Amino acid sequence: MGMINMNNILIFDKKDMEYNIDKDTNIYHFSINSSSNILINIVKEGVTLNYYYNNINYDDNSFNLNIKHMVSNTYSNVFNHGVNVFSNKLKYKVDSIVLKDSYKCKCIQDSKIINLGDGNSTIWPNLLIDNYDVVAEHAAYIGKFNDSDFKLLLKGFLVNEDIEGIDDFIREIDRMEV
């Protein structure tokens, strides 16, 4: 499926949001030390959603994402990347939901949290599928960087593309201490 004429949405530190997606959409969500509850309904057949959540975490925070495939032939690709800086808690709960009457959907989840300190991180990748004609995959990783060039790695890990308006997010990475 081509990704021409994608709708691009840029989000910074939003707490609670709900979207109805009716055309191919890229959502870039950047968060510095905040919790979020996000609900996304894919409401039109043939639509692809690419969701990129990137966060830097200093306190106890959680990220809850629900993506509902309300119709058939929809696709969701979810990439959650976080850095837990101190000895705090970071939780990701990611639900991909396919309803009984939604056929030929594809749900992909890839969640990673890097602990720089002795943080307690948790990822719950949930695939709630009520139909047999679906492709559903998830991956979850929690670990540490062992490379001396961790800021360069963090930028590559957290910043997907050259997106205008994310200068504060990049400056926050540069501010971080090992």
Side-chain angles (χ1 to χ4, degrees), residues 153-171:
L153 290 170
L154 286 178
K155 285 180 185 174
F157 178 69
L158 291 172
V159 181
N160 318 58
E161 301 175 13
D162 288 333
I163 300 171
E164 288 187 42
I166 63 168
D167 299 335
D168 288 342
F169 195 79
I170 292 172
R171 275 192 290 280

Side-chain angles (χ1 to χ4, degrees), residues 16-170:
D16 297 310
M17 295 183 307
E18 183 173 346
Y19 288 101
N20 288 325
I21 302 297
D22 61 0
K23 61 183 169 182
D24 291 345
T25 301
N26 292 318
I27 297 178
Y28 301 95
H29 185 175
F30 296 93
S31 171
I32 299 171
N33 204 39
S34 67
S35 293
S36 297
N37 293 297
I38 311 298
L39 172 60
I40 298 174
N41 299 306
I42 304 176
V43 297
K44 186 175 179 188
E45 285 197 30
V47 167
T48 296
L49 167 69
N50 297 307
Y51 189 94
Y52 304 93
Y53 177 68
N54 302 283
N55 80 310
I56 299 170
N57 190 57
Y58 296 105
D59 297 318
D60 292 350
N61 284 296
S62 62
F63 172 66
N64 299 303
L65 174 64
N66 288 291
I67 296 179
K68 291 184 182 178
H69 293 253
M70 307 293 284
V71 294
S72 297
N73 299 306
T74 54
Y75 310 93
S76 62
N77 301 297
V78 177
F79 305 96
N80 303 304
H81 291 167
V83 175
N84 200 10
V85 179
F86 300 124
S87 297
N88 46 292
K89 294 178 183 176
L90 178 58
K91 297 177 184 178
Y92 286 178
K93 182 177 177 283
V94 184
D95 295 339
S96 295
I97 302 161
V98 178
L99 302 178
K100 183 176 184 176
D101 295 331
S102 298
Y103 297 90
K104 299 195 182 310
C105 296
K106 186 173 183 179
C107 308
I108 308 297
Q109 295 180 15
D110 182 20
S111 299
K112 297 178 179 125
I113 298 174
I114 301 301
N115 287 315
L116 296 182
D118 292 324
N120 180 354
S121 299
T122 306
I123 300 171
W124 290 288
N126 300 306
L127 299 168
L128 307 171
I129 311 300
D130 198 16
N131 188 306
Y132 290 107
D133 193 7
V134 170
V135 174
E137 303 172 7
H138 67 78
Y141 172 81
I142 299 172
K144 293 187 175 216
F145 282 145
N146 292 321
D147 196 311
S148 61
D149 295 326
F150 90 100
K151 285 187 183 178
L152 180 62
L153 290 170
L154 286 178
K155 285 180 185 174
F157 178 69
L158 291 172
V159 181
N160 318 58
E161 301 175 13
D162 288 333
I163 300 171
E164 288 187 42
I166 63 168
D167 299 335
D168 288 342
F169 195 79
I170 292 172

